[in-house]
């Protein structure tokens, strides 16, 4: 495993030796046509500890190239074309010495995250695409991370930034409040594996929410007022702090708009939705907002109602937990191979790659190619000559590229917006770079929290439900794909630029002149529909 601490963690959590993930590179002998050319402030207390206070996050060097698109002979689910040179089955290679699981891979059934929703125990003797494994790990109603690990940090009373000497004092105060918060939880029930989340909404309450409210009000007045109501949808509302701050601000500053405001929260987690229904609705009622708020406990991907009215759709730090597919490329042909996870009867994980794409991954690659004009990063050197030279000089070097993680679930979310919310305007914030990511292009951070310390690991194939799996967002590609699917225009900006436009910066400025609201999230970006 990655460290003695991690080994201890697995023993504590699972009560059996840590599962090992093994990777197989299954290169099918089907004939295929190649794809041508082709803050974090390390706090130790927080959920994801990703904000970068004034620092620079080093980006991985990535090859940027222009590709030409070619058709594929094989899409997963179709019969592959074969020729006389094809072997009876496929060949496979392994990057490490391990048990040969080829026969199990042939026999085990393929399942999806949707099919596993009703299961109360983690599956065994099955295989699934990487995106289904990640979605099941995070969102399964019975053992998924967001169904089990729901503790959202509340700092108590808002920080009085103008009274703080400087930013380091703010950081120290956050740490102190974290300790007090968790001490209180441990006094009730001690838990070494408690996962505590923090968000900018909570840390900068109410100023962060007020900046979003100003943006919503301004754009509502300029576009649809007074002909339509102000309808706001929010995904992943957590404790509902953003909702309360937005509604408070609208009521206190523009009561005529407040009278026409409706706030709808979409929450996939049943436990969070229950907490929101009891606690959040009580808070909303105490502030006079009860008639404005509706909580909808369902996955956005199960949405089947058409909302024709103009609306704003808030997705703040949501995309990073959308499931991704994984592909690796044949370094000779540049052909993509899609990753599948096999789970054996002991619960160990094995990773296989096949040169066939399922329809979702194949569509994402087509849409991305068309939307970006073929300009997007690749996890291999763009020079075929240099790749071939390396193979000749180093014949034992890998024949496949490093992994690339593709946001296929994000593409499906854009499909939902286009189909069911045709008049929406999206407001989203997320992180364009993350530290401690695993190997690969657009790769995630996989981490858990143990004894109040963040523990990153080096693979997404981890015991389902105990680890957060979060991805960086490539805003340039996301903006292009969103525009291609919805036909809407957008604007991408940094978190700092958005706050300079819409926040009252004097509210969050320390006596030294430093402003944590601007410096804390240097690795965050925002995208809005215009």
């Amino acid at each position: 495993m990655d460290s003695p601490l991690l080994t201890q963690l697995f023993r504590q959590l699972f009560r059996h030796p840590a599962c090992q993930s093994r990777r197989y590179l299954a290169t099918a002998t089907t004939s295929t046509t190649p794809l041508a050319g082709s803050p974090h402030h390390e706090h130790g207390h927080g959920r994801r500890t990703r904000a970068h206070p004034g620092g620079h996050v080093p980006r991985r060097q990535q090859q940027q190239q222009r590709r030409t698109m070619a058709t594929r002979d094989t899409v997963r689910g179709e019969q592959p074309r074969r020729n006389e040179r094809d072997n009876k089955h496929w060949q496979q290679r392994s990057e490490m010495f391990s048990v040969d699981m080829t026969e199990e891979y042939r026999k085990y059934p393929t399942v999806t995250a949707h099919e596993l929703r009703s299961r109360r125990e983690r599956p065994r003797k099955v295989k699934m695409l990487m995106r289904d494994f990640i979605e099941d790990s995070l969102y399964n109603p019975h053992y998924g991370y967001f169904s089990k690990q729901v503790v959202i940090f509340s700092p108590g009373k808002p920080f009085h930034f103008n009274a703080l000497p400087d930013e380091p004092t703010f950081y120290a105060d956050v740490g102190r409040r974290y300790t007090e918060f968790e001490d209180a939880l441990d006094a009730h029930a001690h838990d070494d594996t408690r996962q505590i989340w923090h968000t900018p909404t909570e840390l900068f309450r109410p100023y962060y929410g007020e900046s979003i409210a100003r943006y919503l009000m301004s754009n509502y007045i300029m576009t649809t007022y007074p002909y339509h109501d102000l309808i706001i949808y929010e995904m992943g509302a957590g404790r509902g702090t953003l909702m309360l701050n937005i509604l408070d601000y609208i009521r206190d500053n523009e009561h005529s708009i407040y009278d026409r405001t409706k706030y709808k929260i979409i929450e996939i987690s049943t436990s969070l939705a229950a907490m929101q229904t009891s606690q959040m609705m009580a808070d909303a009622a105490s502030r006079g907002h009860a008639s404005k708020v509706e909580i909808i406990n369902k996955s956005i991907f199960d949405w089947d109602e058409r909302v024709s009215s103009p609306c704003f759709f808030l997705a703040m730090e949501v995309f990073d937990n959308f499931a991704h597919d994984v592909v690796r490329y044949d370094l000779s042909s540049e052909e993509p191979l899609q990753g599948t996870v096999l789970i054996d009867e002991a619960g160990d994980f094995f990773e296989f790659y096949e040169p066939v794409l399922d329809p979702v991954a194949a569509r994402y690659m087509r849409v991305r190619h068309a939307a970006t004009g073929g300009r997007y990063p690749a996890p291999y050197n763009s020079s075929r000559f240099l790749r071939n030279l390396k193979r000749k000089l180093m014949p034992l070097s890998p024949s496949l590229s490093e992994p690339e993680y593709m946001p296929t679930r994000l593409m499906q979310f854009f499909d939902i917006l286009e189909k069911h919310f045709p008049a929406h305007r999206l407001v989203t914030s997320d992180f364009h770079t993350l530290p401690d990511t695993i190997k690969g292009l657009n790769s995630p951070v996989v981490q858990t929290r143990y004894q109040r310390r963040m523990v990153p690991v080096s693979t997404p194939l981890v015991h389902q439900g105990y680890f957060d799996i979060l991805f960086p967002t490539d805003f340039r590609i996301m903006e292009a794909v969103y525009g291609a699917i919805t036909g809407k225009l957008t604007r991408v900006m940094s978190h700092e630029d958005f706050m300079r436009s819409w926040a009252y910066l004097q509210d969050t400025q320390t006596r030294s002149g430093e402003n944590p609201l601007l410096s804390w999230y240097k690795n965050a970006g925002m995208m809005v529909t215009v």
Side-chain angles (χ1 to χ4, degrees):
M1 300 306 301
D2 292 61
S3 68
L5 177 62
L6 186 59
T7 300
Q8 181 184 0
L9 168 63
F10 272 81
R11 288 173 178 163
Q12 171 77 14
L13 293 180
F14 314 146
R15 298 172 186 259
H16 63 71
C19 296
Q20 298 181 12
S21 65
R22 304 179 179 92
R23 176 176 297 137
Y24 288 88
L25 310 179
T27 55
T29 56
T30 54
S31 173
T32 56
T33 302
L35 179 66
S38 10
H40 176 118
H41 175 59
E42 183 67 42
H43 195 278
H45 300 287
R47 169 199 179 190
R48 302 182 178 183
T49 56
R50 300 173 298 187
H52 293 262
H56 173 69
V57 184
R59 289 178 177 269
R60 257 196 198 121
Q61 295 299 318
Q62 299 172 353
Q63 294 293 329
Q64 185 88 7
Q65 64 190 73
R66 183 178 181 87
R67 306 185 189 180
T68 56
M69 196 66 176
T71 58
R72 297 182 49 83
D73 284 349
T74 308
V75 174
R76 195 182 299 268
E78 298 178 353
Q79 288 296 324
R81 300 179 187 175
R82 298 182 179 271
N83 57 43
E84 294 179 355
R85 294 177 297 173
D86 290 342
N87 294 327
K88 202 168 185 180
H89 300 294
W90 51 39
Q91 304 168 4
Q92 72 175 32
R93 297 187 299 270
S94 175
E95 289 183 341
M96 61 186 73
F97 296 103
S98 60
V99 180
D100 185 350
M101 299 298 293
T102 306
E103 190 60 32
E104 287 80 357
Y105 189 80
R106 300 177 198 275
K107 295 190 304 183
Y108 286 177
T110 300
V111 297
T112 66
H114 182 80
E115 294 169 342
L116 295 174
R117 284 187 186 180
S118 60
R119 292 186 61 125
R120 294 184 173 274
E121 296 181 354
R122 295 166 180 82
R124 299 191 178 193
K125 301 179 70 173
V126 298
K127 61 179 181 283
M128 66 190 83
L129 295 173
M130 179 64 80
R131 72 167 180 269
D132 288 302
F133 178 82
I134 293 173
E135 179 132 344
D136 184 60
S137 297
L138 295 178
Y139 298 110
N140 183 282
H142 306 290
Y143 53 77
Y145 183 84
F146 290 106
S147 302
K148 298 169 76 282
Q149 317 286 357
V150 183
V151 180
I152 302 175
F153 168 66
S154 174
K157 62 181 180 180
F159 292 96
H160 186 195
F161 292 94
N162 298 154
L164 297 176
D166 49 29
E167 276 196 46
T169 305
F170 170 64
Y171 303 152
D173 200 6
V174 171
R176 177 183 60 80
R177 296 196 193 190
Y178 251 112
T179 300
E180 294 173 353
F181 180 80
E182 193 156 18
D183 285 346
L185 294 176
D186 280 343
H188 176 71
H190 183 80
D191 185 359
D192 281 338
T193 63
R194 181 181 296 115
Q195 308 292 305
I196 297 184
W197 313 348
H198 72 260
T199 67
T201 301
E202 297 289 347
L203 294 181
F204 298 100
R205 184 176 90 246
Y207 312 115
Y208 184 90
E210 290 176 353
S211 68
I212 303 296
R214 292 186 195 99
Y215 174 84
L216 297 176
M217 287 178 55
S218 176
N219 283 270
Y220 170 64
I221 292 172
M222 290 189 299
T223 55
T224 60
Y225 178 81
Y227 307 106
H228 297 276
D229 291 338
L230 173 56
I231 302 175
I232 305 168
Y233 286 86
E234 182 185 0
M235 289 176 58
R239 298 169 59 91
T241 303
L242 180 62
M243 175 267 293
L244 292 173
N245 295 159
I246 289 175
L247 290 178
D248 283 348
Y249 184 85
I250 295 175
R251 179 197 58 200
D252 296 344
N253 290 275
E254 199 64 61
H255 208 278
S256 61
I257 294 178
Y258 178 77
D259 289 340
R260 306 190 60 173
T261 299
K262 300 175 183 178
Y263 206 107
K264 302 173 186 288
I265 291 173
I266 303 173
E267 179 57 63
I268 185 175
S269 169
T270 301
S271 56
L272 264 179
M275 182 272 288
Q276 291 165 351
T277 301
S278 58
Q279 178 180 328
M280 184 194 304
M281 291 303 292
D283 292 341
S286 68
R287 303 191 193 192
H289 302 319
S291 63
K292 303 293 182 182
V293 180
E294 178 183 0
I295 298 172
I296 305 168
N297 182 201
K298 70 188 304 182
S299 168
I300 186 62
F301 298 104
D302 295 332
W303 196 273
D304 55 4
E305 175 188 351
R306 184 174 176 85
V307 178
S308 57
S309 300
C311 62
F312 288 92
F313 209 105
L314 306 184
M316 318 304 286
E317 293 187 54
V318 171
F319 295 165
D320 53 5
N321 283 125
F322 277 176
H324 285 50
D325 272 296
V326 64
V327 296
R328 301 178 78 181
Y329 295 85
D330 186 295
L331 293 177
S332 297
S333 65
E334 300 180 5
E335 175 190 12
L337 293 83
Q338 187 171 6
T340 297
V341 179
L342 179 143
I343 308 175
D344 71 4
E345 60 184 353
D348 288 347
F349 306 114
F350 302 81
E351 193 171 359
F352 283 77
Y353 285 86
E354 295 183 65
V356 287
L357 300 179
D358 87 305
V360 175
R363 176 174 174 249
Y364 174 80
M365 297 188 82
R366 292 194 305 269
V367 172
R368 177 181 64 174
H369 186 86
T372 63
R375 296 185 182 276
Y376 45 89
Y380 53 84
N381 194 304
S382 59
S383 171
R384 189 186 300 268
F385 171 78
L386 292 178
R387 296 199 307 268
N388 292 337
L389 179 62
K390 181 179 179 180
R391 290 296 303 277
K392 290 180 180 179
L393 297 176
M394 304 174 62
L396 298 181
S397 62
S399 61
L400 297 185
S401 72
E402 289 190 354
E404 176 189 359
Y405 292 85
M406 304 189 305
T408 44
R409 205 55 163 151
L410 179 58
M411 176 187 70
Q412 293 178 317
F413 170 66
F414 294 157
D415 289 336
I416 294 290
L417 292 181
E418 190 277 331
K419 180 178 180 180
H420 296 295
F421 300 87
H424 78 275
R425 300 186 69 179
L426 180 63
V427 180
T428 183
S429 174
D430 234 302
F431 293 86
H432 52 74
T433 52
L434 293 170
D436 298 325
T437 56
I438 66 175
K439 181 185 295 186
L441 174 62
N442 197 40
S443 56
V445 175
V446 185
Q447 64 185 15
T448 192
R449 194 168 177 271
Y450 181 64
Q451 293 182 348
R452 306 193 182 191
R453 291 181 55 191
M454 298 307 300
V455 183
V457 298
S458 58
T459 173
L461 303 185
V462 289
H463 200 66
Q464 303 96 312
Y466 287 97
F467 290 80
D468 195 1
I469 304 173
L470 56 148
F471 295 84
T473 298
D474 187 324
F475 277 88
R476 185 184 69 85
I477 293 178
M478 178 184 72
E479 180 182 31
V481 171
Y482 172 82
I485 292 174
T486 66
K488 294 181 180 292
L489 299 177
T490 53
R491 181 187 175 198
V492 171
M493 69 205 82
S494 68
H495 174 270
E496 178 179 351
D497 286 343
F498 182 91
M499 290 301 160
R500 287 189 182 279
S501 297
W502 299 103
Y504 290 165
L505 297 180
Q506 63 270 22
D507 293 335
T508 55
Q509 183 171 296
T510 65
R511 294 205 307 265
S512 68
E514 297 169 302
N515 198 314
L517 181 63
L518 301 180
S519 61
W520 188 276
Y521 291 98
K522 287 291 187 181
N523 60 328
M526 298 192 69
M527 186 180 83
V528 296
T529 306
V530 297

